Amino acid sequence: MSVMLDAKDVFALGPVAAVAAIRNALTEGLDPEGDVPRVILPLAGGQGLLMPSETDGWFGVKVATVAPGNTARGLRRINATYLLHDSETLTPAAVIDGVALTTLRTPAVTVAACLDRLRVLAAFSPGGLRLVVFGAGPQGQGHVRTIRAHVPVADVTVVTRRGGVSPSWANRHLAADDAAVAGQVRSADVVVAATSAREPVVDGHLVRDSAVVLAVGSHEPTARELDGVLMRRATVVVESLGVAFAEAGDIFLAVREGLLDAEALVTMADLLRSGAAVRPDRPMVVKTSGMAWEDLVVAIAVYRQGGRRV
């Protein structure tokens, strides 16, 4: 009989275990390039997403919806449910809160990719790292929480279109057109882009050579949060080459503009398994669109920790 795992059960896993699940899956041989492509369905009110995957004796699928009009209605823009099955018998093991799972796994993936770089930065910043986060939603907060769980953080600036009251997880909240934003980005060790923007929100000229930039807000080839200037300067890490060119506008558009060499992209699997070179004198960009295998390996970890107890 399947169990129901709600948001509390999902978040009980914690960011450290979620990051470890992603890193372990890749170092043990999981091949993201072989994952089943996400199916994106146009719907009357937005999009439907189907994300199936199988690994390590488990099969799972996330059914998600994106309804842009829900924001004005006071409803969640993204809704999702995750179904986890035993691969041998194909019996359902758990029904999991898909929104919570996405909120946990998205920063787990980006931090899994850049964790070694974050630790190096932290070693040279005894007071803690300085973060600038574009976007005040769950993914902005989730990235701060996940980074804090692994390295000390000294200061967090959140940037949104209009600014406003600072959330509890940030030191200040600036409007995007505030002149102070440029100075914050120039001094940042980590820049997170977690917005619904379709045009760049980060000025690539401002990012430090040693900085890490994490971009998670878009999964369409025509939308981008990072400009070509930054992509030309950076070592760019992606989940999968196939997904990067099919869904990541930050990658696709920069390559089309001649500002990013497609052959220079580094995959997370290569980075973690073979130690692919990431130059310390260039920004490190991690661009993710979200893949089904990521949901699955974190869902397995959630179930193993909480499902049997329930």
Side-chain angles (χ1 to χ4, degrees):
M1 183 176 68
S2 59
V3 298
M4 303 290 293
L5 299 176
D6 62 15
K8 182 178 179 180
D9 298 312
V10 173
F11 292 128
L13 179 68
V16 173
V19 169
I22 296 293
R23 287 174 68 92
N24 290 342
L26 292 173
T27 56
E28 291 171 6
L30 186 150
D31 180 12
E33 302 296 345
D35 206 26
V36 179
R38 166 172 38 207
V39 177
I40 302 177
L41 305 171
L43 302 174
Q47 290 180 331
L49 290 82
L50 304 178
M51 300 177 65
S53 190
E54 182 177 13
T55 191
D56 195 27
W58 298 91
F59 165 73
V61 60
K62 184 168 74 177
V63 180
T65 58
V66 182
N70 277 4
T71 303
R73 301 183 183 105
L75 300 173
R76 290 195 307 200
R77 178 173 173 268
I78 297 175
N79 289 279
T81 302
Y82 197 86
L83 306 176
L84 180 67
H85 302 73
D86 174 283
S87 273
E88 183 176 357
T89 65
L90 297 180
T91 55
V95 180
I96 302 173
D97 184 314
V99 173
L101 182 65
T102 305
T103 301
L104 179 65
R105 69 86 163 140
T106 302
V109 174
T110 54
V111 172
C114 70
L115 182 56
D116 296 334
R117 176 76 163 246
L118 291 178
R119 287 171 171 163
V120 170
L121 289 171
F124 288 94
S125 304
L129 301 185
R130 293 160 294 185
L131 277 56
V132 173
V133 181
F134 288 84
Q139 282 305 330
Q141 181 178 9
H143 275 78
V144 173
R145 178 173 180 246
T146 303
I147 294 169
R148 282 189 189 277
H150 291 85
V151 294
V153 171
D155 187 82
V156 178
T157 298
V158 63
V159 181
T160 60
R161 188 176 304 172
R162 297 181 180 84
V165 177
S166 179
S168 61
W169 47 271
N171 297 89
R172 66 194 62 81
H173 186 176
L174 302 178
D177 60 359
D178 191 316
V181 171
Q184 294 296 325
V185 173
R186 284 192 184 96
S187 64
D189 299 295
V190 181
V191 178
V192 177
T195 74
S196 58
R198 303 190 66 83
E199 298 293 335
V201 296
V202 179
D203 183 344
H205 294 95
L206 302 176
V207 177
R208 297 168 60 188
D209 290 339
S210 62
V212 172
V213 180
L214 310 176
V216 302
S218 66
H219 60 266
E220 298 176 58
T222 55
R224 70 201 307 189
E225 296 176 287
L226 309 180
D227 62 20
V229 171
L230 176 59
M231 305 305 269
R232 180 173 55 190
R233 295 178 53 208
T235 298
V236 181
V237 179
V238 297
E239 305 147 291
S240 150
L241 295 176
V243 167
F245 290 115
E247 298 186 4
D250 307 75
I251 306 294
F252 176 80
L253 295 173
V255 170
R256 190 177 70 178
E257 293 163 353
L259 298 174
L260 176 63
D261 179 4
E263 299 296 322
L265 293 174
V266 177
T267 67
M268 287 181 59
D270 285 342
L271 184 66
L272 296 180
R273 286 205 288 263
S274 60
V278 177
R279 288 174 46 178
D281 61 339
R282 300 181 65 177
M284 178 182 184
V285 167
V286 180
K287 169 56 191 171
T288 66
S289 298
M291 294 183 67
W293 69 267
E294 301 159 358
D295 290 311
L296 179 55
V297 298
V298 176
I300 293 167
V302 169
Y303 176 74
R304 285 173 171 164
Q305 172 171 288
R308 293 192 176 99
R309 183 183 69 247
V310 173

